[in-house]
Amino acid sequence: MTGTTGAPSARADMVRNRHLLLAAATAAFAECGVDVSMGEIAQRAGVAKGTVFRHFATKDDLLAAIMLQLLDRLIGAADRLLEADDAGEALREFMTTGVESLAADRAFCEVIGRPSLQHAEVRDAIDRLCEVVEALTDRARESGAIRSDITGTDIVLLLGGIHQTAAPLLPAQPQAWRRYLELAFDGLCSADARELPYPPPTVLRINDPSAVG
Amino acid sequence: MTGTTGAPSARADMVRNRHLLLAAATAAFAECGVDVSMGEIAQRAGVAKGTVFRHFATKDDLLAAIMLQLLDRLIGAADRLLEADDAGEALREFMTTGVESLAADRAFCEVIGRPSLQHAEVRDAIDRLCEVVEALTDRARESGAIRSDITGTDIVLLLGGIHQTAAPLLPAQPQAWRRYLELAFDGLCSADARELPYPPPTVLRINDPSAVG
Amino acid sequence: MTGTTGAPSARADMVRNRHLLLAAATAAFAECGVDVSMGEIAQRAGVAKGTVFRHFATKDDLLAAIMLQLLDRLIGAADRLLEADDAGEALREFMTTGVESLAADRAFCEVIGRPSLQHAEVRDAIDRLCEVVEALTDRARESGAIRSDITGTDIVLLLGGIHQTAAPLLPAQPQAWRRYLELAFDGLCSADARELPYPPPTVLRINDPSAVG
Amino acid sequence: MTGTTGAPSARADMVRNRHLLLAAATAAFAECGVDVSMGEIAQRAGVAKGTVFRHFATKDDLLAAIMLQLLDRLIGAADRLLEADDAGEALREFMTTGVESLAADRAFCEVIGRPSLQHAEVRDAIDRLCEVVEALTDRARESGAIRSDITGTDIVLLLGGIHQTAAPLLPAQPQAWRRYLELAFDGLCSADARELPYPPPTVLRINDPSAVG
DNA sequence: GATGAATGAGGATTCATTCAT
DNA sequence: AATGAATGAATCCTCATTCAT
């Protein structure tokens, strides 16, 4: 019956702190970029600096945890949309969710290529995301909703690209990404276009020069 | 007879150092992001730390100088392409040049929204770039090469977005951006698509919340 | 039973460090002037550089803290002497204490007109000092111990002046200030002298050109 | 006939530059204190930084040269006043000149105890100043204008002390030193006072602990 | 002799991380 | 497990001084 007693156990406190920290860090990174200090994050979470390090041994670990959160959310969304009737619409919805998530997070662009993304867990999550999006994309392709030479990894990559396209506008026009999402989607649909000039990425090994794919 | 003397003047050395520095800084920022230290840049350029500051009073000034370099290159390219016969092809060529330039520069994404971009010169260069690309886009639109609801600022923004899309792949596949450039271009051409859901940006005032355009 | 535990608490250590730092900084500023580096001060206090900044956010804050220390000591001394029977002797004693305190501090002269003296706390302390010394002076004047045209602010200013007079001698003759204190006091007592040629300062707003008093 | 030709010789230029520099440095030190940079001084003098160093090998040398200038002026003044009829008035006039000179120079107080004052030339000038002021003081003492236990070195030291007394007021009340000069003079005249409690300084070896006088 | 570019030691300050309580 | 004080490496930047032209 652990967890049902009135007084919060030390364990429960820890869980709560972890959530507090994750939330505070997400907000801090989103607003200020990856250069926010651990001190600022601790302050936002209302805990002492030492507590941050008890939960996340290094700043990179914290960053990784946040990325993991985002990735898990996306994986979940993609998973659910696998059940949808209209495969094309499902893909579009997934991308909407994806770009919207990124749009709230100034850190994402900065974080690409940081050591944090070399955390095994993050890499695994990216792999899983690519897999499920691959499935989503297969269905859309098979249903004729998108052209034939688009892969799931393309879709995953486009999320960041679309976000970046709109990024400079976001402070003034927080919804501007919708324009570029649609534009990208139109590209994905143009069935009559000649084939894309460069082979699709097979694996997504971020910043890993050994993965000459 | 200026410039024909054999011995390098102090002035000539200074110009050389400035070039050395600009090159070293471009490379350093591209590889390591905006957080490379001025010391690292000095070392790469083979000069003392003080010399960096003699040429660029602050780190932001150096960053601005580099951005200016990039912007000027793009402005020049766009200017020249204004003379081309095939307006659609000209636009595509401009975008190719643009994305290629960005692809060499990891700092670009990070730099969006930094104070350096509030340097008047940088803002002016962005304005000029938008203007000339607007002209380029007008011609392409009028010739029917691209759909009617695309503006020059869209194009400028897409440069960064396309680059970002491919960015995670670049260490392993340095040409991967070509795929996403083509994909984006297909989007620009899909004449039968419904109109884009969000109005085009009118001005590009990076990170300026007052510019609700 | 607070304070009776054997092991020194972190808090107690901090207080000790703060005292160590204040002492080290006072000595360092006194010996070397305001240009001693924070590093030197840290070293003298036997702590790391970061610790100095944890206690005093900027060098000016540290300087202000030291000045505050000195001022508080003087205010306390003046306060106590307000109770003395012989008003003239009380004033003389206060000045003795004052000059003696300054004599240990080479930084005092340099610090006049530095931003640190614009710290509100320091200004307030100077105001308070002037007030209590004004009272001390009033009593001395009323008792006929000093001439009629001398104000408390004159006295406060004289402290620095007497110290400065002897300053060049202090390394070789640490007590030399006593000679000039006595000389100044004789000036304060010369009842038969004609009135001083320039009006007394009303307020002491150090380095504030707007305070044309 | 050197120096009478129309075209300025290199030598004449150098002399002019030296004067320019001395003037600029005096003004700069007076306004900003000893921490003005050599660059600022060069700029004020309208010459390049290298030129400053050709004339004054180090910053301390420049500081010494300026102090020398001031000391020479004071020596000259004292010399001339040796001829005056009223010995007491002559001393008072000398002190007026002296304090006035110091009042224009924020650097003076800061410079006491700097290595620059250990320049042999500066020490010699101080010795000469003390000598001639000693003579001036002797005459005043003999004429009964001042008390018997005051020496020339006392007078020289008082110059700095009187200046310092008024220093905090000078930005707002540039003439305030007159008040404290008069006050000091009254002290010097109080014939009925008991003897000063500490022996007079015999030599003035600024900041030289070996000169236990 | 004058110039001003280059040097590099040194300074204030920040911040991730460690550790005693 | 939480705290927050201490650490010290790293950063940007300044400035006296040197030196090639």
Side-chain angles (χ1 to χ4, degrees):
Chain A
M1 296 286 181
T2 310
T4 59
T5 43
S9 68
R11 181 61 178 274
D13 257 18
M14 220 186 147
V15 170
R16 197 181 55 97
N17 270 347
R18 192 187 165 88
H19 286 335
L20 244 40
L21 272 168
L22 239 19
T26 301
F29 283 128
E31 283 172 41
C32 318
V34 292
D35 286 338
V36 247
S37 73
M38 292 295 263
E40 163 92 14
I41 291 170
Q43 214 171 308
R44 283 180 185 234
V47 302
K49 245 189 319 182
T51 304
V52 185
F53 284 92
R54 168 163 299 275
H55 287 270
F56 306 95
T58 70
K59 191 177 183 180
D60 271 342
D61 287 343
L62 175 53
L63 221 32
I66 286 176
M67 291 295 131
L68 223 43
Q69 237 188 178
L70 175 61
L71 289 166
D72 282 342
R73 217 179 324 134
L74 294 187
I75 291 169
D79 253 336
R80 274 189 301 280
L81 286 164
L82 233 30
E83 314 291 332
D85 287 334
D86 183 336
E89 201 47 44
L91 184 62
R92 181 195 299 262
E93 235 176 90
F94 168 74
M95 291 180 72
T96 303
T97 300
V99 178
E100 192 164 22
S101 296
L102 263 42
D105 195 344
R106 178 181 151 174
F108 187 86
C109 168
E110 297 171 303
V111 114
I112 297 290
R114 292 243 165 189
S116 54
L117 281 188
Q118 292 170 12
H119 276 241
E121 285 178 309
V122 175
R123 278 211 309 260
D124 288 352
I126 291 177
D127 285 350
R128 265 181 297 129
L129 177 63
C130 285
E131 266 170 50
V132 60
V133 174
E134 200 70 60
L136 210 54
T137 309
D138 286 346
R139 289 190 63 220
R141 194 187 314 108
E142 281 156 21
S143 80
I146 60 167
R147 55 204 281 181
S148 62
D149 52 356
I150 295 296
T151 74
T153 303
D154 284 331
I155 299 295
V156 170
L157 288 168
L158 276 172
L159 261 28
I162 295 164
H163 166 245
Q164 173 61 48
T165 307
L169 303 170
L170 293 184
Q173 300 160 270
Q175 298 292 320
W177 55 272
R178 294 188 186 278
R179 177 174 178 85
Y180 301 105
L181 170 57
E182 192 61 29
L183 183 60
F185 212 83
D186 288 341
L188 297 177
C189 297
S190 59
D192 54 332
R194 50 184 175 186
E195 205 175 325
L196 290 170
Y198 196 86
T202 50
V203 282
L204 186 46
R205 281 268 170 272
I206 285 176
N207 276 72
D208 177 358
S210 75
V212 181
Chain B
M1 302 275 182
T2 311
T4 58
T5 44
S9 69
R11 181 60 182 273
D13 258 20
M14 198 192 164
V15 169
R16 199 180 55 97
N17 267 347
R18 193 189 164 87
H19 286 339
L20 243 40
L21 271 169
L22 238 18
T26 301
F29 283 129
E31 282 173 40
C32 318
V34 292
D35 287 336
V36 247
S37 74
M38 293 295 263
E40 163 90 15
I41 291 171
Q43 218 169 305
R44 283 179 184 234
V47 301
K49 241 184 321 185
T51 304
V52 185
F53 287 97
R54 158 165 287 272
H55 287 269
F56 305 96
T58 68
K59 192 178 182 178
D60 270 344
D61 287 344
L62 174 54
L63 217 35
I66 287 176
M67 290 297 130
L68 225 42
Q69 235 187 179
L70 175 62
L71 289 166
D72 282 342
R73 218 179 323 135
L74 294 188
I75 291 169
D79 253 337
R80 275 189 301 281
L81 286 165
L82 234 28
E83 315 290 333
D85 286 335
D86 185 334
E89 202 47 45
L91 185 61
R92 181 195 298 262
E93 238 177 85
F94 168 73
M95 291 179 73
T96 303
T97 301
V99 178
E100 193 164 22
S101 296
L102 261 44
D105 196 344
R106 177 180 151 175
F108 188 87
C109 167
E110 296 172 305
V111 113
I112 296 291
R114 291 244 169 187
S116 53
L117 279 190
Q118 292 171 13
H119 275 241
E121 284 177 311
V122 174
R123 277 211 309 259
D124 288 352
I126 292 178
D127 284 350
R128 265 180 299 129
L129 176 63
C130 285
E131 266 171 51
V132 59
V133 174
E134 199 71 61
L136 210 54
T137 309
D138 286 346
R139 288 190 64 220
R141 194 188 313 108
E142 282 156 20
S143 80
I146 60 166
R147 56 205 280 183
S148 61
D149 52 355
I150 295 297
T151 73
T153 303
D154 284 329
I155 299 293
V156 170
L157 288 168
L158 277 171
L159 260 30
I162 296 165
H163 165 244
Q164 173 62 49
T165 307
L169 303 169
L170 294 184
Q173 301 160 270
Q175 298 292 319
W177 55 270
R178 294 188 186 277
R179 177 173 178 84
Y180 301 104
L181 169 57
E182 192 61 29
L183 183 60
F185 211 83
D186 287 341
L188 296 177
C189 297
S190 59
D192 53 332
R194 53 186 172 183
E195 204 175 326
L196 291 170
Y198 196 88
T202 49
V203 281
L204 186 46
R205 280 266 169 274
I206 284 177
N207 275 70
D208 177 357
S210 75
V212 182
Chain C
M1 302 278 182
T2 310
T4 59
T5 43
S9 68
R11 180 62 181 274
D13 258 20
M14 199 192 164
V15 170
R16 200 180 55 96
N17 268 346
R18 194 189 163 87
H19 286 339
L20 243 41
L21 272 168
L22 238 20
T26 301
F29 281 130
E31 282 173 42
C32 318
V34 292
D35 286 336
V36 248
S37 74
M38 293 295 263
E40 164 89 15
I41 291 170
Q43 218 170 304
R44 282 178 184 235
V47 300
K49 241 183 321 184
T51 303
V52 186
F53 287 95
R54 157 164 287 271
H55 287 269
F56 306 96
T58 70
K59 191 178 183 177
D60 270 344
D61 287 343
L62 175 53
L63 218 34
I66 287 176
M67 291 297 130
L68 225 42
Q69 234 187 179
L70 175 61
L71 288 166
D72 282 342
R73 219 180 321 137
L74 294 187
I75 291 169
D79 252 337
R80 274 188 301 280
L81 287 165
L82 234 29
E83 315 290 332
D85 286 334
D86 184 335
E89 202 47 44
L91 184 61
R92 182 194 298 262
E93 238 177 87
F94 169 73
M95 291 178 74
T96 303
T97 301
V99 179
E100 194 164 21
S101 296
L102 260 44
D105 196 344
R106 179 181 150 174
F108 188 87
C109 167
E110 296 172 304
V111 113
I112 296 292
R114 292 244 167 186
S116 53
L117 279 190
Q118 292 172 12
H119 276 241
E121 285 177 310
V122 175
R123 276 210 309 259
D124 289 352
I126 292 178
D127 285 349
R128 265 180 299 129
L129 177 62
C130 285
E131 266 170 50
V132 59
V133 174
E134 199 71 60
L136 211 54
T137 310
D138 286 345
R139 288 190 65 221
R141 194 188 314 108
E142 282 156 20
S143 79
I146 60 167
R147 56 205 280 183
S148 61
D149 52 356
I150 295 296
T151 72
T153 304
D154 283 329
I155 300 293
V156 170
L157 288 168
L158 277 171
L159 261 28
I162 295 164
H163 165 243
Q164 173 61 49
T165 307
L169 303 169
L170 294 183
Q173 301 160 270
Q175 298 292 319
W177 55 270
R178 294 187 187 277
R179 178 175 178 84
Y180 301 104
L181 169 57
E182 192 61 29
L183 184 59
F185 211 83
D186 287 341
L188 296 177
C189 297
S190 58
D192 53 331
R194 51 184 174 184
E195 205 175 325
L196 291 170
Y198 196 87
T202 50
V203 281
L204 186 47
R205 279 267 168 273
I206 285 177
N207 275 70
D208 177 356
S210 74
V212 182
Chain D
M1 298 282 182
T2 311
T4 59
T5 44
S9 66
R11 180 62 176 272
D13 256 18
M14 219 187 147
V15 170
R16 199 181 55 97
N17 270 347
R18 192 185 165 89
H19 286 336
L20 243 40
L21 272 168
L22 240 18
T26 300
F29 283 128
E31 282 173 41
C32 319
V34 293
D35 286 338
V36 248
S37 72
M38 293 295 263
E40 163 91 14
I41 290 170
Q43 214 171 308
R44 282 179 186 235
V47 303
K49 245 190 320 182
T51 305
V52 185
F53 283 92
R54 168 162 301 275
H55 287 270
F56 306 95
T58 70
K59 192 178 183 179
D60 271 341
D61 287 343
L62 175 53
L63 221 32
I66 286 175
M67 289 297 130
L68 224 42
Q69 235 187 180
L70 174 61
L71 288 166
D72 282 342
R73 218 179 323 134
L74 293 187
I75 291 169
D79 253 337
R80 274 190 301 281
L81 287 164
L82 234 30
E83 315 290 334
D85 286 334
D86 183 335
E89 201 47 44
L91 184 61
R92 181 194 297 263
E93 235 176 271
F94 169 72
M95 291 179 72
T96 303
T97 300
V99 178
E100 192 164 23
S101 295
L102 261 44
D105 194 343
R106 178 181 152 174
F108 187 87
C109 167
E110 297 171 303
V111 114
I112 296 290
R114 292 243 166 189
S116 53
L117 280 189
Q118 292 171 11
H119 276 241
E121 285 177 310
V122 175
R123 277 210 309 260
D124 289 351
I126 291 177
D127 284 350
R128 265 181 296 129
L129 177 62
C130 284
E131 266 170 49
V132 60
V133 175
E134 199 71 60
L136 210 53
T137 309
D138 286 346
R139 288 191 63 221
R141 194 189 313 109
E142 282 155 21
S143 79
I146 60 167
R147 56 205 279 181
S148 61
D149 52 355
I150 296 296
T151 73
T153 303
D154 284 330
I155 299 294
V156 170
L157 288 167
L158 277 171
L159 261 28
I162 295 164
H163 166 245
Q164 173 61 48
T165 306
L169 303 171
L170 293 184
Q173 300 160 270
Q175 298 292 319
W177 55 272
R178 294 188 186 276
R179 178 174 178 84
Y180 301 105
L181 169 56
E182 192 61 28
L183 184 60
F185 212 82
D186 288 340
L188 297 177
C189 297
S190 59
D192 54 331
R194 50 183 176 187
E195 205 175 325
L196 291 170
Y198 195 88
T202 50
V203 282
L204 185 47
R205 280 270 169 270
I206 285 177
N207 276 70
D208 177 357
S210 74
V212 181

